[in-house]
Amino acid sequence: MFGKLTLDALYHYDPIIVFANVIMVGAGVLVVALLTYFRKWGYLYREWFTTVDHKKIGVVYIVIALIFLLRGFIDAAMVRGQQATVGAGGEGYLSAAHFAELFTGHGTMMIFFMAMPFLVGLMNIAIPLQIGARDVSFPLLNAVSVWLTAAAGALVMISLLIGSFSEAGWSGYTPFSGLEHSPGPGVDYWIWALQISGISTTLTGVNFVTTILKKRAPGMTLMRMPMFTWTVLCTSILIVVSFPALTVALALLALDRSVGTHFFTSIMGGDQMMYINMFWLWGHPEVYILVLPAFGIFSEVVTTYCNKRLFGYTSMVWATMAIAFLSFGVWVHHFYTMGQDPLRNSIFGIATMVIAIPTGVKIYDWIWTMFRGRIEYKLPMLWTLGFLITFVMGGMSGVLLAIPGADYKMHNSLFLVAHFHNVLIPGTMFGLLAGFYYWWPKVFGFRLDEKWGRHSFWGWLVGFYVAFVPLYMLGIMGMPRRMVTYDNPTWQFWLVIAAIGAIIVAYGIFAMFMQIYVSWRDREKNADLTGDPWGGRTLEWAIPSPPPEYNFAVVPEVRDRDAFMEMKVNNRAYERPAKYEDIHMPKSTPLPIVVAALSFFFGFAYVWHIWWLAGLCVLGTVAAVIARSFNDETEFVIPASEVQADEDAFHARLKQADVFTHIDGIQEFGDERTPAGAFVEPTTRATSGAPS
Amino acid sequence: MASSPSYDLNRVRAAARADTEVNFGFWAYLMSDVVLFSMLFLAYVNLSQRFAGGPTPADIFSLHGVFLETMALLASSLTFGLAMVSLHQGRKNHIIGWLLATAVLGIYFLWHEVSEFVHIIHEGASFTRSGFLSAYFGLVGTHGAHVFFGLIWIATMVAQLAIKGLTPPIASRLARLSLFWHFLDLVWICVFSTVYLPGILAGGSS
């Protein structure tokens, strides 16, 4: 009846896991109780669970990301704590199995449930607004994607309570992740959490490729797209072309584990290296899927806060495309030591180093954009500067590792761990946090607190260096990654420093949550009345904050790369039509949460081999989709009068904030060709209602 | 034409174009499916000589059966094409007729494939026997699963046509189903020439 699931699954060998479960279940019960007490379930259902609005979906993604940021960070801190305290030859407070679950969980959660949802959340929020669209191409599919991600995250969460999580590392190499070496439910939880979130991401990729190529406002040619839109287009193409490789690798591994096939086994004709090839055929493009949109965010930030056009826009576009293309030709560098001949390793080594060239182009483009710009050191600019310096360091250690000979020495050591954190933390996390601050007022109508934001920035930046420079040292000293204990006493000193770094990062994370709380508390004071708090250059700043459900009352006409800046310069910003028209928008629907719930139970049933339940879930999903396809009444109409009323209110706020006078003063784009000194007075910016 | 008086045929035709926004999105999805099948082909080619002492392709494949299967699937692409011709003529009942013909051929194909699987497994050549057989069942089975979902989709579309008539949304869905079905045909041609032909040729007889 319940497959392999018995009450034993609730037994945990480790009091720390029991404690974590008490916290998790307690927090869950508390949230449910509070929502019930304040009678918020109806509101949540109407406004969030059934919505197909891309802005709200973006917020849900980021909420998921922040929850998993905490969980992923706790895992990392426990790993650091173990290695710092265990001492040479000691046992430490963690068992080897629990330690392995922690480093597996940390990697899995940070990549799949923190970075990806955070990124997709920002994509959801910004892309339709930047291209002047009222929603994405497939709003319903978009809602299915977000709730599938939530379902996959729930599988990770439930693995803490029922059974255990994978101990096979975030990449789940065979044959260790095969049934023989990992007989428990952990790897199965890992497989289905990744499978469901991967499918959700593939759907997102399809959605955004279509949205960006088909839904741009009139006049927005490809070479007039904002840089963030370009990078998201490249990322979406990468998603569509690479995620199916992960889907297949996981599906075949699941078959090996559940029905006894021999795809990746080491006996009976299976090929364990095939898994590793397939995994990295997805895994390397995934690195660029994570980093390219962050590059886009940095480009938006640099142009906005330097009040200049982006330097070398065309080279930036080509560099992005080149990185996207090259990312498919380097996967072997993840396993130089696993048996290829030197020729093959050399080819992949050279391909890997070549990627540094377009990346370098980007770095110079940002620097030249800043050059002679009137830089405003707002928080996103700090993240960008922190990124530039730190990321170049990580990139250089990457070029070092790309040399197969050096990699033979360094692979599987903490040097590698330091390297990829050194690219992913500045390259992705700093970008995400810059975008978080940058677009927050657009979504919520008030700006984030600057002071706590700075605390967060310095916490992350200093913490990063204190935590990861020692790992570079330890790697060179020969310490392998993923060690629950060790017998070299000279390592401990550096591990203690690294643990201190983790504590400093913890302060950065705490400061970010303080920033959210303080900003929410002072939301009246921080209100963004004009929709353009930063003197923005792209279309998302041309509409109110928060935008109405339909985004644009009138679809804008784009005449320049910096579309909104052109409107300000040519005095056609906030132009009103003679007459507003009715707007058709997609209706809310419960289908996405139904499909997501069924996927969750399917994953759970597969983990525990409850086949009848898995079958029912598949049938239910197919039935729900077919039933939905019979419904052609999927849109509703927002009457022109309502649009007119919204716009009247918006223009009243614009007048109150004296925006039109400011726009009259804007005469130039801040072009890279403009000579130095041409910027005289800071009157060229639209201000928001409150002093900044 | 008389079957859907409330919709004008030009709107139906426009909805069935391959380059509408929705249909473009489906092309993008198909690209992801191309990669999915590429991985399975990769697995098959990689494992195709790993018999682990078990049966080889020549022991289990029969060109006769595969030939009939292939012909049925190719013919089903023709019948689906004729369904789309009927769509552009606005003839609802003809579309339903050609869809049903497509479904019959698809069911024949699938029945043949399943009985081949059952036969092979009964001979002791199950997917647990060797890497080669795992990859064979994985690739051919995934294609079969796609055909199965295509059949469910055809049934749904027949029901929608019968109940709602030839509306623009239904024409748009038929255009995507058409892409999907022809895509499966294309994949099958690759399966035939990657799995069955070399396998049987290597064995020297059918």
Side-chain angles (χ1 to χ4, degrees), chain A residues 138 206 210 214, chain B residues 12-30 84 153 168-169 171-177 179:
Chain A
F138 307 107
V206 167
T210 313
K214 285 286 189 183
Chain B
V12 166
R13 284 179 182 152
R17 286 173 60 100
D19 62 349
T20 62
E21 184 178 337
V22 192
N23 291 348
F24 180 86
F26 195 75
W27 278 105
Y29 154 72
L30 282 183
M84 293 308 282
W153 194 352
S172 167
R173 281 169 214 153
L174 282 170
R176 291 192 286 288
L177 177 52
L179 287 175

Side-chain angles (χ1 to χ4, degrees), chain A residues 137-138 206 210 213-215 240-241 244-245 248 259-263 268-271 274 278 281 626 629-630 632, chain B residues 19 21-22 24-25 28-29 32 35-36 39 43 46-47 50 52 127-131 134-135 152 156 160 164 173:
Chain A
S137 284
F138 307 107
V206 167
T210 313
L213 290 179
K214 285 286 189 183
K215 266 196 132 48
V240 172
V241 187
V248 170
V259 303
T261 52
H262 292 284
F263 287 102
M268 301 289 275
D271 181 359
M274 186 165 76
M278 282 183 175
L281 261 172
I626 291 178
S629 76
F630 276 84
D632 285 326
Chain B
D19 62 349
E21 184 178 337
V22 192
F24 180 86
Y29 154 72
S32 80
V35 179
L36 187 129
M39 288 296 124
N46 185 30
L47 300 181
R50 293 170 172 248
F127 42 81
T128 56
R129 180 62 190 81
S130 69
S134 298
I152 295 177
T156 311
Q160 292 194 350
K164 299 185 171 212
R173 281 169 214 153

Side-chain angles (χ1 to χ4, degrees), chain A residues 345-627:
Chain A
N345 277 353
S346 311
I347 292 170
F348 281 92
I350 292 166
T352 305
M353 290 178 223
V354 167
I355 291 195
I357 297 171
T359 314
V361 168
K362 282 171 168 283
I363 302 272
Y364 282 108
D365 280 343
W366 290 314
I367 293 174
W368 282 105
T369 306
M370 286 182 229
F371 180 67
R372 289 182 174 168
R374 208 185 45 233
I375 305 177
E376 257 187 291
Y377 287 100
K378 286 274 189 190
L379 187 59
M381 216 39 223
L382 291 184
W383 287 118
T384 306
L385 293 170
F387 150 78
L388 274 175
I389 295 159
T390 315
F391 183 81
V392 167
M393 205 175 99
M396 296 315 285
S397 67
V399 175
L400 174 64
L401 282 173
I403 305 165
D407 185 74
Y408 263 81
K409 186 83 187 140
M410 303 293 195
H411 84 105
N412 233 17
S413 74
L414 283 179
F415 189 89
L416 171 80
V417 174
H419 157 69
F420 69 70
H421 284 89
N422 196 349
V423 279
L424 281 176
I425 289 180
T428 297
M429 195 64 210
F430 286 12
L432 295 173
L433 291 170
F436 182 72
Y437 178 95
Y438 184 65
W439 282 305
W440 175 284
K442 183 46 67 191
V443 179
F444 293 105
F446 60 92
R447 281 163 303 159
L448 281 174
D449 183 74
E450 187 83 18
K451 189 188 92 181
W452 281 103
R454 280 164 194 269
H455 282 244
S456 171
F457 168 74
W458 288 111
W460 271 100
L461 189 77
V462 175
F464 167 81
Y465 280 101
V466 178
F468 289 98
V469 172
L471 296 199
Y472 274 124
M473 311 282 287
L474 284 163
I476 292 170
M477 289 159 71
M479 180 169 178
R481 67 197 292 202
R482 298 173 174 171
M483 299 283 278
V484 66
T485 183
Y486 45 83
D487 46 21
N488 186 335
T490 56
W491 291 345
Q492 193 175 14
F493 170 74
W494 297 105
L495 288 164
V496 170
I497 309 244
I500 294 171
I503 294 170
I504 304 175
V505 172
Y507 177 73
I509 294 175
F510 162 78
M512 186 190 73
F513 283 98
M514 270 309 281
Q515 179 193 28
I516 296 173
Y517 164 72
V518 167
S519 317
W520 175 80
R521 190 192 61 198
D522 301 339
R523 59 193 180 283
E524 301 282 320
K525 197 181 85 189
N526 295 329
D528 164 30
L529 299 175
T530 67
D532 184 18
W534 320 123
R537 309 173 75 83
T538 42
L539 287 175
E540 70 266 40
W541 308 110
I543 54 174
S545 299
E549 192 173 357
Y550 48 81
N551 296 349
F552 294 87
V554 180
V555 174
E557 188 208 326
V558 175
R559 294 188 194 159
D560 193 278
R561 213 167 264 167
D562 292 5
F564 184 45
M565 201 62 189
E566 182 273 333
M567 292 175 181
K568 294 186 204 173
V569 170
N570 294 329
N571 275 322
R572 57 185 205 99
Y574 309 113
E575 260 179 1
R576 305 188 70 173
K579 187 170 161 293
Y580 288 97
E581 283 170 11
D582 292 349
I583 296 175
H584 294 256
M585 293 301 291
K587 277 184 198 164
S588 298
T589 156
L591 179 75
I593 47 171
V594 171
V595 170
L598 289 169
S599 304
F600 170 79
F601 285 111
F602 174 83
F604 187 78
Y606 204 112
V607 169
W608 296 104
H609 295 191
I610 312 172
W611 301 122
W612 61 269
L613 180 59
L616 272 184
C617 290
V618 173
L619 282 180
T621 308
V622 173
V625 171
I626 291 178

Side-chain angles (χ1 to χ4, degrees), chain B residues 3-4 7 92 159-168 170-171:
Chain B
S3 56
S4 54
Y7 288 103
K92 187 187 86 171
Q160 292 194 350
L161 278 166
I163 295 167
K164 299 185 171 212
L166 184 54
T167 64
I170 288 175

